[in-house]
Amino acid sequence: MSKIMNVSALELLHHMKLTCQIPNVLEAIATRRIIAEAVKKAEITVEQKELQQAADSLRLANRLVKADDTWAWLQKHYLSLDDFEEIAQTNLLSAKLANHLFADQVEKFFVEHQLDFVGAITYEVVLDEEDLALELFYALQENEITFPEIARQYIQEPESRRTGGYHGIRYRRDFKPEIAAAVFAARPPQVLKPIITQTGVHLIWVEEVIKPQLNEQLRLKILGDLFSAWIKQQLEEVKVMAQLELDTQKLAKPA
C-alpha cells in the first residue's frame, strides 16, 4: 500500500524558489493581468455558447474524451470544475482579444512577409567530403543513381535513412542562410549543387516549393504571432515584483 505524502503551499513555493521558477510564474501572472485589463478596456464579453465551445476545445486538446478522463485530469492538476471553466474562459478571451487587436492587420502582415511563408519540401544528405558530394551530384545528373539510394548508403541516423533524408515542409527561417538562398531559387524537382557549411557538405533534393496562401490556419498563426509580440512588449513595460518574505542574506551567501 502506497504512503500518502502531504505537501504544503509553503513547501511548494519554497521549491519553486529553489528551482528558479519564480520569474516564469510571475511573467505568467503578469500576462493574465495584462490580458484581463485589455479585455475589460475593450469591453469584450463571452456568451455561454462560446464558453461551452471553448471548454470542448480544451477537453479535445487534452484528450479528455470521457467524463472519467476529465475528472482524472482535474484531480491530477488539483483543479475544480470552476477552475476548468476559468481556463476555458481565459483561452477564449485571449483569442477574442487577439482578434480585436490584430484581425485587420493580418493580411497586411502576410503581404509584407510573404517570403517567410514560402515552404519547401526537401530531402537532404550531409557528407564529410566535397569530392564525394560532387561525384554523387553528377551521378544524379546522369541518372546513374537515385537520391533514395544515396540516402540509404550515406545517412547514419536510422529514421532519416528510412525516409530517404526527408525533412518535410520547411520555411526560410528553418534553413541556414546560404542553403535557403539556393533552395528557394530552385526549380523543383531539382538536386542542388553541394553546399558547404560548418555542418558538412549538403546534398539537397528540392521536391517542391510551396507558395503561401492566406488560409485559416496561417491566419490564426499570424494572429497568434502578433498577439505574442504584443504581450512581450507589454511585459517589457512593467516590472513584476513578488510579495515574498525573502531572507536576502541567505540568498546572497550560501550556508
Side-chain angles (χ1 to χ4, degrees):
M1 183 176 180
S2 59
K3 296 180 180 179
I4 296 176
M5 180 183 291
N6 292 316
V7 178
S8 68
L10 187 61
E11 193 173 354
L12 280 173
L13 178 59
H14 186 60
H15 174 76
M16 288 168 59
K17 284 162 56 179
L18 294 182
T19 54
C20 306
Q21 296 181 57
I22 294 292
N24 290 336
V25 174
L26 290 179
E27 184 175 304
I29 292 171
T31 299
R32 286 174 61 87
R33 288 191 186 180
I34 289 167
I35 290 172
E37 289 173 8
V39 163
K40 185 177 180 180
K41 183 178 180 180
E43 298 182 344
I44 296 173
T45 58
V46 169
E47 296 180 2
Q48 188 59 40
K49 183 179 179 181
E50 292 177 314
L51 184 56
Q52 183 59 54
Q53 290 174 341
D56 291 341
S57 296
L58 183 56
R59 290 190 186 91
L60 183 63
N62 290 281
R63 301 179 181 178
L64 307 177
V65 180
K66 302 176 183 177
D68 289 346
D69 298 333
T70 301
W71 282 114
W73 187 83
L74 291 174
Q75 288 181 331
K76 177 182 178 180
H77 296 282
Y78 294 86
L79 297 169
S80 65
L81 280 175
D82 289 342
D83 294 329
F84 185 86
E85 184 173 311
E86 184 178 351
I87 294 171
Q89 181 168 307
T90 299
N91 292 345
L92 177 58
L93 287 171
S94 297
K96 295 187 79 168
L97 178 61
N99 198 63
H100 170 77
L101 293 173
F102 301 110
D104 60 350
Q105 298 182 32
V106 169
E107 189 169 343
K108 179 184 177 184
F109 185 91
F110 171 72
V111 171
E112 292 176 350
H113 299 82
Q114 221 171 133
L115 289 178
D116 295 335
F117 299 110
V118 177
I121 298 178
T122 60
Y123 297 75
E124 182 176 355
V125 176
V126 181
L127 301 158
D128 295 327
E129 300 175 16
E130 184 180 5
D131 289 344
L132 174 59
L134 283 168
E135 181 183 332
L136 292 172
F137 170 74
Y138 290 120
L140 283 166
Q141 302 300 305
E142 298 298 326
N143 294 318
E144 296 173 359
I145 194 170
T146 66
F147 202 93
E149 289 173 338
I150 293 173
R152 283 195 294 271
Q153 289 182 47
Y154 294 99
I155 293 179
Q156 301 299 318
E157 202 278 312
E159 192 60 34
S160 181
R161 184 171 63 246
R162 292 189 194 101
T163 58
Y166 178 63
H167 280 269
I169 300 176
R170 292 194 290 174
Y171 300 91
R172 190 174 293 270
R173 64 180 177 273
D174 300 321
F175 294 95
K176 297 182 190 306
E178 59 268 40
I179 294 179
V183 166
F184 292 102
R187 294 184 178 180
Q190 180 183 346
V191 177
L192 303 179
K193 195 168 183 179
I195 302 170
I196 302 173
T197 71
Q198 291 181 343
T199 310
V201 186
H202 301 255
L203 191 60
I204 299 172
W205 172 28
V206 183
E207 182 180 59
E208 184 180 357
V209 172
I210 304 170
K211 296 190 185 281
Q213 293 183 343
L214 188 56
N215 53 28
E216 184 63 14
Q217 183 180 1
L218 183 53
R219 191 189 77 83
L220 290 174
K221 183 186 183 307
I222 294 173
L223 200 61
D225 290 345
L226 291 172
F227 188 58
S228 295
W230 177 79
I231 290 289
K232 183 178 179 181
Q233 182 183 8
Q234 299 303 306
L235 287 170
E236 289 174 352
E237 294 176 2
V238 299
K239 185 176 182 180
V240 187
M241 298 294 291
Q243 295 180 357
L244 305 176
E245 293 181 1
L246 301 177
D247 188 333
T248 54
Q249 291 184 348
K250 287 185 178 179
L251 287 174
K253 295 182 180 180

